[in-house]
Amino acid sequence: MPKRAKVLLAEDDASLAFVIKDNLEEAGFEVEWCRDGEMAWQQFQKIDFDICLLDVMMPVKDGFAVAKKIRQKSDVVPILFLTAKSMEQDKLEGFKSGGDDYITKPFSMQELLLRMEVFLRRTKKMHFEQSHEYTIGRMKFSFADLKILDGDTVISLTQREADLLNFFCQHTNKVLKREEVLLSVWGKDDYFLGRSMDVFITKLRKHFKPDPSIVLETIHGIGFRLNS
């Protein structure tokens, strides 16, 4: 975990926010608490945060709206939703808006710290990882630049798309189990994360469409295989 990592905490429940802020600061984090979504978005534009903890139900701007704004500015910073909701649609909406994970209230501080550590460790590894470039069919994929090059055409990727494609490129022409992909890219095997992964698979297939030789195949009941 990076020393004195900066945390954006957006939570309108002052009592809960105090407990989270106090525990995170005791664990060595710098915490900026915002009591509504608009305040959180304003602070995000001023400070270089390492991770964002967003309550879903907040005044002015809800957590989903804030996440969408953050993703317009950064594809890299991890977003973890704090939610009292457990409905499938709410969780899927969180992933669609750019969230990386969710934790359902009530939660233990130990669980929150462990979830945060997973994402911070992954981000740190990404920053220090050597540049990876792959040839996929006629296309070139640059993991470091988050881009696919198809001749003069440049396709920009989100960080999550790049992470997923990077894993497939490391195992080209091999059958990968769904749970293996989820654990390697998202850090855990979860039904809602699996639904989110399917959305990203669809996006990658659209990127590959100009080159029919690239096939991101679904192996029914097992997983996927990138044929190139």
Side-chain angles (χ1 to χ4, degrees), residues 176-190:
L176 300 171
K177 294 182 179 179
R178 283 184 66 88
E179 56 267 31
E180 181 182 358
V181 180
L182 282 167
L183 286 170
S184 298
V185 179
W186 273 267
K188 65 177 181 176
D189 181 4
D190 175 281

Side-chain angles (χ1 to χ4, degrees), residues 8-214:
L8 173 61
L9 171 62
E11 169 61 66
D12 65 324
D13 182 333
S15 298
L16 177 59
F18 176 80
V19 171
I20 295 174
K21 186 174 188 294
D22 189 55
N23 277 271
L24 292 183
E25 287 178 341
E26 189 175 329
F29 292 94
E30 290 183 21
V31 182
E32 185 72 26
W33 171 47
C34 300
R35 62 179 67 247
D36 66 61
E38 179 59 33
M39 187 186 299
W41 169 236
Q42 295 301 326
Q43 288 301 107
F44 184 84
Q45 295 176 84
K46 299 174 186 175
I47 300 172
D48 186 17
F49 289 105
D50 295 291
I51 189 167
C52 300
L53 308 180
L54 307 180
D55 184 28
V56 171
M57 301 301 292
M58 289 188 293
V60 190
K61 268 189 175 71
D62 66 23
F64 300 147
V66 178
K68 288 176 182 176
K69 297 289 286 184
I70 288 174
R71 281 290 169 253
Q72 290 172 8
K73 188 175 173 66
S74 170
D75 288 323
V76 178
V77 62
I79 297 174
L80 179 64
F81 283 112
L82 312 177
T83 176
K85 297 186 174 184
S86 58
M87 292 176 62
E88 175 181 345
Q89 191 56 44
D90 293 315
K91 292 177 180 178
L92 292 176
E93 179 64 28
F95 291 124
K96 287 177 183 176
S97 66
D100 294 289
D101 202 356
Y102 59 88
I103 184 168
T104 305
K105 302 174 186 176
F107 51 81
S108 71
M109 283 307 304
Q110 182 181 15
E111 181 185 4
L112 177 60
L113 286 166
L114 286 172
R115 295 277 193 94
M116 292 170 62
E117 190 174 336
V118 167
F119 286 106
L120 289 169
R121 199 164 51 231
R122 190 177 305 157
T123 303
K124 183 177 180 181
K125 180 182 177 184
M126 181 193 72
H127 285 159
F128 288 96
E129 200 168 32
Q130 287 186 342
S131 173
H132 290 300
E133 292 190 357
Y134 301 93
T135 299
I136 316 168
R138 73 182 188 212
M139 298 182 178
K140 302 286 185 182
F141 164 50
S142 173
F143 178 57
D145 295 331
L146 306 181
K147 294 185 186 303
I148 293 174
L149 306 177
D150 183 14
D152 294 330
T153 303
V154 179
I155 302 168
S156 296
L157 304 174
T158 65
Q159 185 62 55
R160 186 63 75 196
E161 286 176 300
D163 288 340
L164 185 58
L165 181 53
N166 187 56
F167 186 69
F168 281 129
C169 287
Q170 290 172 347
H171 304 87
T172 306
N173 300 316
K174 293 182 181 177
V175 175
L176 300 171
K177 294 182 179 179
R178 283 184 66 88
E179 56 267 31
E180 181 182 358
V181 180
L182 282 167
L183 286 170
S184 298
V185 179
W186 273 267
K188 65 177 181 176
D189 181 4
D190 175 281
Y191 170 76
F192 299 104
L193 288 174
R195 292 284 299 275
S196 178
M197 178 176 68
D198 290 336
V199 172
F200 286 106
I201 294 282
T202 300
K203 289 181 179 179
L204 289 178
R205 285 178 175 145
K206 287 181 180 177
H207 297 328
F208 297 149
K209 203 168 182 180
D211 185 353
S213 72
I214 307 172

